[in-house]
Structures are given as structure tokens and as C-alpha cells.
Amino acid sequence: MQAEPLATAAGFQLVGPLLITPRVFGDARGFFYESWNQRNFNSALEANGQSPVAFVQDNHSRSSQGVLRGLHFQKDPHAQGKLVRCIQGEIFDVVVDCRQSSSTFGQWASARLSSENHQQLWVPAGFAHGFLTLSAQAEVLYKTTEFWDRDCERSLLWSDSDLAIAWPQATEPLLADKDVAAPTWQTLIAAGDGFQ
């Protein structure tokens, strides 16, 4: 497997998130690949200056075209890292750096994850995460390093002009109520809901 850092829209490299491309073996019968290997994943983290992690929960979502989920994160003490992959269809996956000590604080990066490219996105704690469904349907699986905690859950407005995320859709996405009502970047940071 290969693990590569993501670049922001401004061309800066984000420290933390990694786009993971597995080695896929295909022939006339179909394909095979190792979708998860703890040893290889932690080796990739260590090679990129990060500590090994352990996952505690797997989540599975199904979304119709135009559904946008996010931007979500959990703050300390239950901050979550996520390993995201799309097993059906295609999504536009986005991360936003919420770490105030980071040189890329407030910047975003994206990757297209699909059932065709088999890529996965590692989203470490300290980043907001969301995705837009590009295909007619998409199924997304993700592992988390912490259990869900209602008191630590936070949302960030997907369309915030300070973030200026270039979502690849001309029409308004389909959103959950909490995502419609999510605070702006400035409001979120002023409330102390970022990371140090």
C-alpha cells in the first residue's frame, strides 16, 4: 500500500491526513485486495511522523446523490481519528485542519474516494471531515479511534465562506438538520471548539 499526504487548495501539504492506495490484484474473475492491515497501517503512520492507532468502532453509511454529510468532528477528550473508504459509488471527501498550532490551520483538502479506485483517507483527530455523494448511491465505511460521544460532537458549516471549499456541485446539497444549523468557522473557533 502507498500512503501520501494531501495538498490543500493553496498547494500546502497537510500534516496528518493520508491518502492510502492499496495494492489491488485483478484478473478476469474480479479483484482482491487487503482493505485493512493493522501492522501496515501503523507502519505508514510512523513513516509519516505519526503514532500508531487502534480502532474501536466501524461505521457504515449509505447516501443518495447530492447528500452532503459534514463537516463533523469530536473534540477532546474524545477526539476521533477516522479511516474512510467508499465501497459503492463515489464521494468527494473533505478534511479541514482545526488545529490552532498547525501552519495549515483553517485550510482544507479533498480526495475522491470510490469503489473503483479503492483508496482510503486517514483523517486524524484535529480535523473536521465531510463528504458529498457524487454517484447515484454511495456506501461509505469508516473506522474510528474513539467511540461516538454526543457531548464532544461538533459540526462546522459546509458552505462557510472563510473556508471556501470547492464542492463539485452546482445545486444545493441534501443536508441533515444539524448540518444546516452548523456554526461558521469563526463562531466555532471563538467558542473554543478547535484544537490546540
Side-chain angles (χ1 to χ4, degrees), residues 47-87:
N48 284 277
Q50 299 179 54
S51 299
V53 300
F55 293 106
V56 299
Q57 181 175 315
D58 277 1
N59 298 325
H60 187 158
S61 73
R62 183 176 186 188
S63 304
S64 299
Q65 189 168 28
V67 168
L68 193 152
R69 297 182 185 270
L71 301 159
H72 303 146
F73 67 95
Q74 282 189 187
K75 60 183 276 187
D76 289 329
H78 299 289
Q80 285 182 329
K82 298 176 183 177
L83 182 61
V84 183
R85 67 186 175 121
C86 182
I87 62 165

Side-chain angles (χ1 to χ4, degrees), residues 94-174:
V94 173
V95 295
V96 178
D97 192 344
C98 297
R99 305 167 301 170
Q100 294 181 47
S101 60
S102 170
S103 63
T104 54
F105 177 61
Q107 294 188 41
W108 64 275
S110 65
R112 286 180 183 246
L113 306 181
S114 72
S115 54
E116 294 297 315
N117 67 24
H118 308 292
Q119 292 179 320
Q120 300 178 38
L121 183 60
W122 164 238
V123 184
F127 287 82
H129 169 259
F131 66 85
L132 174 67
T133 305
L134 301 176
S135 51
Q137 298 282 334
E139 292 198 32
V140 175
L141 302 178
Y142 61 99
K143 298 178 172 298
T144 65
T145 59
E146 282 285 337
F147 296 107
W148 178 73
D149 186 284
R150 182 184 307 275
D151 294 335
C152 293
E153 185 180 42
R154 296 294 183 271
S155 293
L156 172 60
L157 186 63
W158 68 278
S159 60
D160 186 282
S161 58
D162 285 339
L163 299 176
I165 297 170
W167 298 99
Q169 181 168 315
T171 59
E172 285 293 308
L174 302 170

Side-chain angles (χ1 to χ4, degrees), residues 18-33:
L18 297 172
L19 184 63
I20 297 169
T21 305
R23 188 169 176 206
V24 179
F25 302 91
D27 59 27
R29 298 169 299 153
F31 67 82
F32 170 86
Y33 72 98

